[in-house]
Coordinates of all heavy atoms in Angstrom, one line a residue:
V67 N 10.8 -23.1 -12.1 CA 10.8 -24.5 -12.6 C 9.6 -24.6 -13.5 O 8.5 -24.3 -13.1 CB 10.6 -25.5 -11.4 CG1 10.5 -26.9 -12.0 CG2 11.8 -25.4 -10.4
V68 N 9.9 -25.0 -14.7 CA 8.8 -25.3 -15.7 C 8.6 -26.8 -15.6 O 9.5 -27.6 -15.9 CB 9.2 -24.9 -17.1 CG1 8.1 -25.3 -18.1 CG2 9.5 -23.4 -17.2
L69 N 7.4 -27.1 -15.2 CA 7.0 -28.5 -14.9 C 6.2 -29.1 -16.0 O 5.1 -28.6 -16.2 CB 6.3 -28.6 -13.6 CG 5.7 -30.0 -13.2 CD1 6.9 -31.0 -13.0 CD2 4.9 -29.9 -11.9
G70 N 6.7 -30.1 -16.7 CA 5.9 -30.8 -17.7 C 6.7 -31.1 -18.9 O 7.9 -30.7 -19.0
D71 N 6.1 -31.8 -19.8 CA 6.8 -32.3 -21.0 C 6.9 -31.2 -22.1 O 6.0 -30.6 -22.6 CB 6.0 -33.4 -21.6 CG 6.6 -34.1 -22.8 OD1 7.8 -33.8 -23.1 OD2 6.0 -34.9 -23.5
V72 N 8.2 -30.8 -22.4 CA 8.5 -29.8 -23.4 C 9.2 -30.4 -24.6 O 9.7 -29.7 -25.4 CB 9.3 -28.6 -22.8 CG1 8.5 -27.9 -21.7 CG2 10.7 -29.1 -22.3
S73 N 9.1 -31.7 -24.7 CA 9.9 -32.4 -25.7 C 9.4 -32.0 -27.1 O 10.2 -32.0 -28.1 CB 9.8 -33.9 -25.6 OG 8.5 -34.4 -25.6
A74 N 8.1 -31.8 -27.3 CA 7.6 -31.4 -28.6 C 8.2 -30.0 -29.0 O 8.6 -29.8 -30.2 CB 6.1 -31.3 -28.7
H75 N 8.3 -29.1 -28.1 CA 8.9 -27.8 -28.3 C 10.4 -28.0 -28.6 O 11.0 -27.3 -29.5 CB 8.7 -26.9 -27.2 CG 7.3 -26.7 -26.8 ND1 6.4 -26.0 -27.6 CD2 6.5 -27.1 -25.8 CE1 5.2 -25.9 -27.1 NE2 5.2 -26.6 -26.0
E76 N 11.1 -28.9 -27.9 CA 12.5 -29.1 -28.2 C 12.7 -29.7 -29.6 O 13.7 -29.3 -30.3 CB 13.1 -30.1 -27.1 CG 13.2 -29.4 -25.7 CD 13.7 -30.4 -24.7 OE1 12.9 -31.4 -24.4 OE2 14.8 -30.2 -24.2
A77 N 11.8 -30.6 -30.0 CA 12.0 -31.2 -31.3 C 11.7 -30.2 -32.4 O 12.3 -30.3 -33.5 CB 11.0 -32.4 -31.4
A78 N 10.9 -29.2 -32.1 CA 10.5 -28.2 -33.1 C 11.5 -27.1 -33.3 O 11.5 -26.4 -34.3 CB 9.1 -27.6 -32.8
S79 N 12.4 -26.9 -32.3 CA 13.3 -25.8 -32.3 C 14.6 -26.1 -31.6 O 14.7 -26.4 -30.4 CB 12.6 -24.6 -31.5 OG 13.6 -23.6 -31.2
A80 N 15.7 -26.1 -32.4 CA 17.0 -26.4 -31.9 C 17.4 -25.3 -30.9 O 18.0 -25.6 -29.8 CB 18.0 -26.5 -33.0
P81 N 17.1 -24.0 -31.1 CA 17.5 -23.0 -30.1 C 16.8 -23.3 -28.8 O 17.4 -23.1 -27.7 CB 17.1 -21.7 -30.7 CG 17.1 -22.0 -32.2 CD 16.7 -23.4 -32.4
F82 N 15.5 -23.7 -28.8 CA 14.8 -23.9 -27.6 C 15.4 -25.1 -26.9 O 15.6 -25.1 -25.7 CB 13.3 -24.2 -27.8 CG 12.5 -24.4 -26.6 CD1 12.2 -23.3 -25.8 CD2 12.1 -25.7 -26.2 CE1 11.5 -23.6 -24.6 CE2 11.5 -25.9 -25.0 CZ 11.1 -24.8 -24.2
R83 N 15.7 -26.2 -27.6 CA 16.3 -27.4 -27.0 C 17.7 -27.0 -26.3 O 17.9 -27.4 -25.2 CB 16.6 -28.4 -28.1 CG 17.2 -29.7 -27.6 CD 17.4 -30.8 -28.7 NE 18.2 -30.3 -29.8 CZ 17.8 -30.0 -31.0 NH1 16.5 -30.3 -31.4 NH2 18.6 -29.6 -31.9
D84 N 18.5 -26.2 -27.0 CA 19.7 -25.7 -26.4 C 19.5 -24.9 -25.2 O 20.3 -25.0 -24.2 CB 20.5 -24.9 -27.5 CG 21.0 -25.7 -28.6 OD1 21.0 -27.0 -28.6 OD2 21.3 -25.1 -29.7
W85 N 18.5 -24.1 -25.2 CA 18.2 -23.2 -24.0 C 17.8 -24.1 -22.8 O 18.2 -23.8 -21.7 CB 17.1 -22.2 -24.4 CG 16.8 -21.2 -23.3 CD1 17.6 -20.4 -22.7 CD2 15.5 -21.0 -22.8 NE1 17.0 -19.7 -21.7 CE2 15.6 -20.0 -21.8 CE3 14.2 -21.5 -23.0 CZ2 14.6 -19.5 -21.1 CZ3 13.1 -21.0 -22.3 CH2 13.3 -20.0 -21.4
V86 N 17.0 -25.1 -23.1 CA 16.6 -26.0 -22.0 C 17.8 -26.7 -21.4 O 17.9 -26.7 -20.2 CB 15.5 -27.0 -22.5 CG1 15.3 -28.1 -21.5 CG2 14.2 -26.4 -22.8
R87 N 18.7 -27.2 -22.3 CA 19.9 -27.8 -21.8 C 20.7 -26.9 -20.9 O 21.2 -27.3 -19.8 CB 20.7 -28.4 -23.0 CG 21.9 -29.3 -22.5 CD 22.7 -29.8 -23.7 NE 23.3 -28.7 -24.4 CZ 23.0 -28.4 -25.7 NH1 22.1 -29.1 -26.4 NH2 23.6 -27.4 -26.3
E88 N 20.9 -25.7 -21.4 CA 21.8 -24.7 -20.7 C 21.1 -24.3 -19.4 O 21.7 -24.1 -18.4 CB 22.1 -23.5 -21.6 CG 23.0 -23.8 -22.7 CD 24.4 -24.3 -22.2 OE1 24.9 -23.7 -21.2 OE2 24.9 -25.2 -22.8
A89 N 19.8 -24.1 -19.4 CA 19.0 -23.7 -18.2 C 19.2 -24.7 -17.1 O 19.3 -24.4 -16.0 CB 17.6 -23.5 -18.6
N90 N 19.1 -26.0 -17.5 CA 19.2 -27.0 -16.5 C 20.6 -27.2 -15.9 O 20.7 -27.9 -14.9 CB 18.7 -28.4 -17.1 CG 17.2 -28.4 -17.2 OD1 16.5 -27.7 -16.5 ND2 16.7 -29.2 -18.1
R91 N 21.5 -26.5 -16.5 CA 22.9 -26.5 -15.9 C 23.1 -25.3 -15.0 O 24.0 -25.3 -14.2 CB 23.9 -26.4 -17.0 CG 24.0 -27.6 -17.9 CD 25.1 -27.4 -18.9 NE 25.2 -28.6 -19.8 CZ 25.7 -28.5 -21.0 NH1 26.2 -27.4 -21.5 NH2 25.7 -29.6 -21.7
G92 N 22.1 -24.4 -15.0 CA 22.3 -23.2 -14.2 C 21.6 -23.3 -12.9 O 21.2 -24.4 -12.4
R93 N 21.3 -22.1 -12.3 CA 20.8 -22.0 -10.9 C 19.4 -21.3 -10.9 O 18.8 -21.3 -9.8 CB 21.8 -21.3 -10.0 CG 23.1 -22.0 -9.9 CD 24.0 -21.3 -9.0 NE 25.3 -21.9 -9.0 CZ 26.1 -21.9 -8.0 NH1 25.8 -21.2 -7.0 NH2 27.3 -22.5 -8.1
E94 N 19.0 -20.7 -11.9 CA 17.8 -19.9 -11.9 C 16.6 -20.5 -12.5 O 15.4 -20.2 -12.2 CB 18.0 -18.5 -12.5 CG 19.0 -17.6 -11.8 CD 20.4 -17.8 -12.3 OE1 20.6 -18.3 -13.4 OE2 21.3 -17.4 -11.6
L95 N 16.8 -21.4 -13.5 CA 15.7 -21.9 -14.3 C 15.9 -23.4 -14.5 O 17.0 -23.8 -14.8 CB 15.7 -21.2 -15.6 CG 14.7 -21.7 -16.7 CD1 13.3 -21.6 -16.3 CD2 15.0 -21.0 -18.0
R96 N 14.9 -24.2 -14.3 CA 14.9 -25.6 -14.5 C 13.7 -26.1 -15.3 O 12.6 -25.5 -15.1 CB 14.9 -26.4 -13.2 CG 16.1 -26.1 -12.3 CD 17.3 -26.7 -12.9 NE 18.4 -26.3 -12.0 CZ 19.5 -27.1 -11.9 NH1 19.7 -28.2 -12.6 NH2 20.5 -26.7 -11.1
F97 N 13.9 -27.0 -16.2 CA 12.8 -27.7 -16.9 C 12.8 -29.1 -16.4 O 13.8 -29.8 -16.5 CB 13.0 -27.7 -18.4 CG 12.9 -26.3 -19.0 CD1 13.9 -25.4 -19.0 CD2 11.7 -25.9 -19.6 CE1 13.8 -24.1 -19.6 CE2 11.5 -24.7 -20.2 CZ 12.6 -23.8 -20.2
V98 N 11.7 -29.5 -15.8 CA 11.5 -30.9 -15.3 C 10.3 -31.5 -16.0 O 9.3 -30.9 -16.1 CB 11.5 -31.0 -13.8 CG1 12.8 -30.5 -13.2 CG2 10.3 -30.2 -13.2
P99 N 10.4 -32.8 -16.4 CA 9.3 -33.4 -17.2 C 8.1 -33.8 -16.3 O 7.0 -33.9 -16.9 CB 10.0 -34.6 -17.8 CG 11.1 -34.9 -17.0 CD 11.6 -33.6 -16.4

Side-chain angles (χ1 to χ4, degrees):
V67 175
V68 176
L69 174 64
D71 184 10
V72 297
S73 61
H75 301 291
E76 290 177 294
S79 169
F82 182 78
R83 182 179 58 246
D84 293 344
W85 184 53
V86 168
R87 186 180 65 246
E88 289 301 316
N90 284 338
R91 292 180 181 161
R93 296 178 186 210
E94 294 90 18
L95 173 63
R96 298 291 178 150
F97 289 84
V98 296

